[in-house]
Amino acid sequence: RRADIAFWQEALAAPDTQVRRLAARAVGRLERGDVGALLVPALADPVVAVRREAAWAIGQSRVTHDLVGAAVAERAPVVRAM
C-alpha cells in the first residue's frame, strides 16, 4: 500500500537515529520485498547502528540487493558481519 511505503520512507529518513534504526528493524520484520527495498539507502546512513539494522533487515525482508558489494564498501566490522 502506498500509505505503508510513505510511512516507512518518512521513518527511515527521520532526523532521530533511534527512529531510523527501529524503522529499519520494523521494515525487515514485515518481510515484504516492496517495502524492504526502502532499506537500501539506509546502508549509507552515517550511523553504524542504522546501517547494521538495515543490513540485517534487508536479509529478513527478502530484498534482492548486492549486499556483498555493500559489505566491501562498509568499514564497520559490525555491519559487514550482518
Side-chain angles (χ1 to χ4, degrees), residues 1 3 7 9 15 22 25 30 35 45 47 53 55 70 72 74 77:
R1 293 185 215 121
F7 173 81
Q9 279 178 318
L22 293 173
R25 181 183 295 179
L30 292 173
V35 179
D45 195 278
V47 178
E53 287 290 348
V72 169
E74 178 59 53

Side-chain angles (χ1 to χ4, degrees), residues 29-58:
R29 288 184 178 171
L30 292 173
E31 296 183 2
R32 287 179 44 194
D34 61 329
V35 179
L38 299 174
L39 294 164
V40 175
L43 293 173
D45 195 278
V47 178
V48 171
V50 175
R51 293 194 311 267
R52 183 183 64 227
E53 287 290 348
W56 181 263
I58 284 172

Side-chain angles (χ1 to χ4, degrees):
R1 293 185 215 121
R2 287 185 184 164
D4 292 345
I5 292 173
F7 173 81
W8 293 117
Q9 279 178 318
E10 188 176 321
L12 289 165
D16 186 272
T17 299
Q18 291 291 54
V19 172
R20 292 193 315 273
R21 185 182 67 77
L22 293 173
R25 181 183 295 179
V27 168
R29 288 184 178 171
L30 292 173
E31 296 183 2
R32 287 179 44 194
D34 61 329
V35 179
L38 299 174
L39 294 164
V40 175
L43 293 173
D45 195 278
V47 178
V48 171
V50 175
R51 293 194 311 267
R52 183 183 64 227
E53 287 290 348
W56 181 263
I58 284 172
Q60 208 175 18
S61 66
R62 303 181 187 132
V63 173
T64 55
H65 178 71
D66 179 19
L67 285 179
V68 173
V72 169
E74 178 59 53
R75 292 182 182 200
V78 69
V79 179
R80 283 197 316 263
M82 294 310 213

